[in-house]
Amino acid sequence: VEVDGPSHYLRNAAESEDFVENGSTRLKTRLLEGFGWTVTRVPFYEWNRLHSETETRRYLEAKLGNRTTGFAAQCPRA
């Protein structure tokens, strides 16, 4: 799981509110995937919208799917 803060993204606020991964973040993802890892991103702009433990748990379960049974239940909201 890769938790990505604002420094992982580029954005042109004048034209769009969409975030795009920067070059070093894309490279790191390609390298990890090249070694056989599955990278799951948790962008700060999605994480910051979660307001309760229930929302956080549902978000993580949706992101991780069945790859980590019980993982979300063990992760407290930071």
Side-chain angles (χ1 to χ4, degrees):
V1 175
E2 176 74 22
V3 180
D4 293 336
S7 65
H8 289 259
Y9 296 93
L10 303 172
R11 180 176 115 167
N12 184 346
E15 296 180 18
S16 173
E17 291 192 18
D18 293 334
F19 291 90
V20 179
E21 294 173 357
N22 66 25
S24 61
T25 298
R26 287 182 179 193
L27 175 61
K28 181 170 52 173
T29 299
R30 272 184 292 192
L31 291 171
L32 289 170
E33 290 173 345
F35 285 113
W37 289 85
T38 300
V39 178
T40 300
R41 299 205 139 341
V42 178
F44 75 97
Y45 54 88
E46 291 179 3
W47 185 259
N48 288 346
R49 289 186 216 145
L50 306 172
H51 299 293
S52 70
E53 184 176 330
T54 301
E55 285 180 349
T56 302
R57 185 172 292 138
R58 286 182 183 154
Y59 174 85
L60 290 174
E61 287 170 348
K63 279 281 194 182
L64 298 174
N66 62 1
R67 286 179 275 168
T68 55
T69 304
F71 173 78
Q74 300 171 21
C75 287
R77 172 95 171 124

